[in-house]
Amino acid sequence: DSGVTQTPKHLITATGQRVTLRCSPRSGDLSVYWYQQSLDQGLQFLIHYYNGEERAKGNILERFSAQQFPDLHSELNLSSLELGDSALYFCASSVATSTDTQYFGPGTRLTVL
Amino acid sequence: SQQGEEDPQALSIQEGENATMNCSYKTSINNLQWYRQNSGRGLVHLILIRSNEREKHSGRLRVTLDTSKKSSSLLITASRAADTASYFCATGGNAGGTSYGKLTFGQGTILTVHP
């Protein structure tokens, strides 16, 4: 158990819908990262927040957005869902910067029908 | 985009044998991390090696880093059936660089250890 929690574990929804994925970092970690894992693209970095502020962005679609709240938990919002958004979404956390070890949560498996 | 390329893509061995996986990357790094993933589950952190280190050990794991060749290797000694999983290398960039703030993953090596 990494100490990073993610909810829900599984999510099944329809095209065009909007979903919210939630992540709680390890106690004391200030950085939260979101990654997407799909069969064709592998593990891709989406976005990094540090202490509530966005610090780095990857190939995150405009239909996706994220935020980190004052209690340091983070949410990833996915809207206008398409079939190709079906993937495993991971949250990771680290103490401070991305030069620290990143600990991953169990992931949310999103299926878009 | 994938920074790292892992070799081999798949490895099948018998229990008790050693398993070696290799990772190559393209840009300068601050650190390189190895992770294990069991069948679509979460990523388990194995070891982090920084760019100024050449070798690190953790239990049955040995990681080497050659920054001049931009490559790393993960050795698992005396493998067990429970080591069956996918193994990923991931690179972390330096502050101020375009890779800072994220890990860039390779495609992974699928290791199967037969009892």
Side-chain angles (χ1 to χ4, degrees), chain A residues 21-73:
Chain A
L21 312 183
R22 183 188 167 104
C23 167
S24 292
R26 295 186 321 152
S27 177
D29 284 0
L30 298 177
S31 273
V32 169
Y33 313 80
W34 287 97
Y35 293 84
Q36 178 195 60
Q37 185 178 33
S38 61
L39 282 174
D40 55 343
Q41 295 288 327
L43 270 157
Q44 298 278 334
F45 166 76
L46 295 178
I47 199 162
H48 167 212
Y49 278 85
Y50 172 76
N51 204 20
E53 293 186 7
E54 181 186 305
R55 283 299 178 91
K57 247 181 175 178
N59 295 325
I60 187 168
L61 300 171
E62 285 191 11
R63 300 183 285 109
F64 296 2
S65 65
Q67 53 184 329
Q68 186 181 27
F69 295 87
D71 67 352
L72 301 176
H73 91 272

Side-chain angles (χ1 to χ4, degrees), chain A residues 96-113:
Chain A
T97 71
S98 66
T99 57
D100 300 320
T101 297
Q102 293 190 22
Y103 295 94
F104 281 71
T108 292
R109 183 172 293 280
L110 174 65
T111 302
V112 182
L113 301 175

Side-chain angles (χ1 to χ4, degrees), chain A residues 2 33 35 37 39-45 47-48 55-59 88 90 97-107 109, chain B residues 1-2 30-31 33 35 37 39-45 47-48 50 88 92-95 98-107:
Chain A
S2 66
Y33 313 80
Y35 293 84
Q37 185 178 33
L39 282 174
D40 55 343
Q41 295 288 327
L43 270 157
Q44 298 278 334
F45 166 76
I47 199 162
H48 167 212
R55 283 299 178 91
K57 247 181 175 178
N59 295 325
L88 260 172
F90 287 108
T97 71
S98 66
T99 57
D100 300 320
T101 297
Q102 293 190 22
Y103 295 94
F104 281 71
R109 183 172 293 280
Chain B
S1 62
Q2 300 292 324
N30 173 277
N31 64 82
Q33 306 186 37
Y35 289 86
Q37 183 179 36
S39 189
R41 296 189 178 181
L43 292 151
V44 175
H45 184 263
I47 203 162
L48 179 152
R50 299 206 181 272
F88 294 90
N94 289 301
T98 57
S99 297
Y100 188 66
K102 64 179 182 180
L103 286 177
T104 305
F105 282 83
Q107 292 286 4

Side-chain angles (χ1 to χ4, degrees), chain B residues 21-82:
Chain B
M21 288 159 267
N22 302 296
C23 168
S24 61
Y25 56 92
K26 297 172 186 172
T27 61
S28 65
I29 61 171
N30 173 277
N31 64 82
L32 188 145
Q33 306 186 37
W34 284 91
Y35 289 86
R36 184 185 76 227
Q37 183 179 36
N38 289 82
S39 189
R41 296 189 178 181
L43 292 151
V44 175
H45 184 263
L46 298 176
I47 203 162
L48 179 152
I49 187 165
R50 299 206 181 272
S51 59
N52 60 352
E53 298 175 308
R54 291 297 165 257
E55 189 170 312
K56 265 187 119 166
H57 296 257
S58 176
R60 294 183 296 114
L61 306 180
R62 172 180 169 249
V63 167
T64 62
L65 179 64
D66 187 335
T67 54
S68 67
K69 295 181 180 178
K70 291 188 170 58
S71 68
S72 174
S73 68
L74 170 67
L75 168 67
I76 304 174
T77 60
S79 63
R80 306 166 182 167

